[in-house]
């Protein structure tokens, strides 16, 4: 498999997203949206159901599962001290609706998403980008400034932050817009290895 590196500008086009393959590396420049909150995802689903308006237009956007340590200035602005990915699988119940409902072109964090989410991504033209766990320094280096805060009444890591980034990455395409998932490949490889080990153990017992 040939791994390619892509320099992409946000918001992403469907054509750009469809051109990414599992394992490719991505650098993003533009504005991303981040949150680490389960209640935030519940609230986003409520927006799709007409409970309240969205704080931002997320059509074509990248919404990432990232938590951060922030410093709040007297004027209410935020400076991100550091940012790290949170586990995306926590949001498996939400993402199959949010991906098409919000019109997302990218999502991501760490740990991947469910097969149902991958199916939604393939249908909508969206990719999952994997962040390096423990790579706060690398991630934070790509942040230029916070350009907006959605739902400021929520606690810090539940808010939706709109952040300007410059060459954020490298990020790995964990699930592409064709339904291929690096997480499935990893699981299958582990299962194959497990089967081989068990077979070796069985043969050793019978020898």
């Amino acid at each position: 498999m040939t791994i390619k590196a892509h320099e992409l500008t946000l918001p992403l086009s469907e054509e750009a997203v469809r051109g990414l393959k599992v394992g490719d590396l991505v650098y993003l420049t533009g504005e991303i949206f981040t949150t680490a909150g389960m209640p935030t995802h519940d609230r986003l689903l409520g927006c799709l159901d007409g409970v309240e308006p969205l704080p931002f237009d997320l059509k074509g956007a990248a919404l990432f599962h990232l938590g951060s340590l922030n410093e709040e200035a007297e004027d209410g602005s935020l400076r991100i001290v550091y940012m790290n990915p949170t586990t995306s699988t926590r949001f498996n119940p939400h993402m199959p609706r949010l991906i098409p409902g919000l019109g997302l072109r990218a999502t991501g964090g760490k740990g991947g998403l469910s097969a149902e989410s991958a199916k939604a991504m393939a249908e909508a033209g969206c990719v999952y980008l994997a962040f390096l766990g423990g790579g706060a320094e690398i991630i934070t280096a790509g942040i230029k400034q916070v350009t907006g805060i959605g739902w400021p009444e929520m606690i810090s890591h539940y808010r939706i932050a709109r952040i300007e980034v410059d060459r954020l990455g490298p990020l790995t395409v964990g699930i592409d817009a064709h339904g291929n998932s690096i997480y499935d490949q990893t699981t299958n490889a582990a299962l194959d290895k497990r089967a081989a080990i068990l077979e070796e153990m069985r043969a050793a017992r019978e020898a």
Side-chain angles (χ1 to χ4, degrees), residues 30-34 70 77-80 83 139-149 161-166:
E31 286 187 329
I32 65 170
F33 296 86
T34 71
N70 307 316
S77 63
L78 285 181
R79 183 181 76 86
I80 296 175
M83 180 164 278
I139 297 168
T140 307
I143 295 172
K144 293 186 69 176
Q145 62 180 332
V146 178
T147 59
I149 295 292
R162 185 179 63 199
I163 303 169
E164 184 182 358
V165 298
D166 181 26

Side-chain angles (χ1 to χ4, degrees), residues 49-109:
D49 293 332
V51 174
E52 62 178 315
L54 288 164
F56 300 107
D57 181 4
L58 296 174
K59 187 174 182 180
L63 176 63
F64 294 129
H65 305 136
L66 294 170
S68 62
L69 174 65
N70 307 316
E71 287 183 349
E72 191 162 354
E74 290 184 4
D75 63 1
S77 63
L78 285 181
R79 183 181 76 86
I80 296 175
V81 179
Y82 71 80
M83 180 164 278
N84 245 347
T86 190
T87 304
S88 297
T89 51
R90 296 189 295 127
F91 309 113
N92 276 332
H94 305 81
M95 298 311 293
R97 278 192 65 200
L98 291 180
I99 289 164
L102 298 175
L104 298 179
R105 287 288 175 226
T107 187

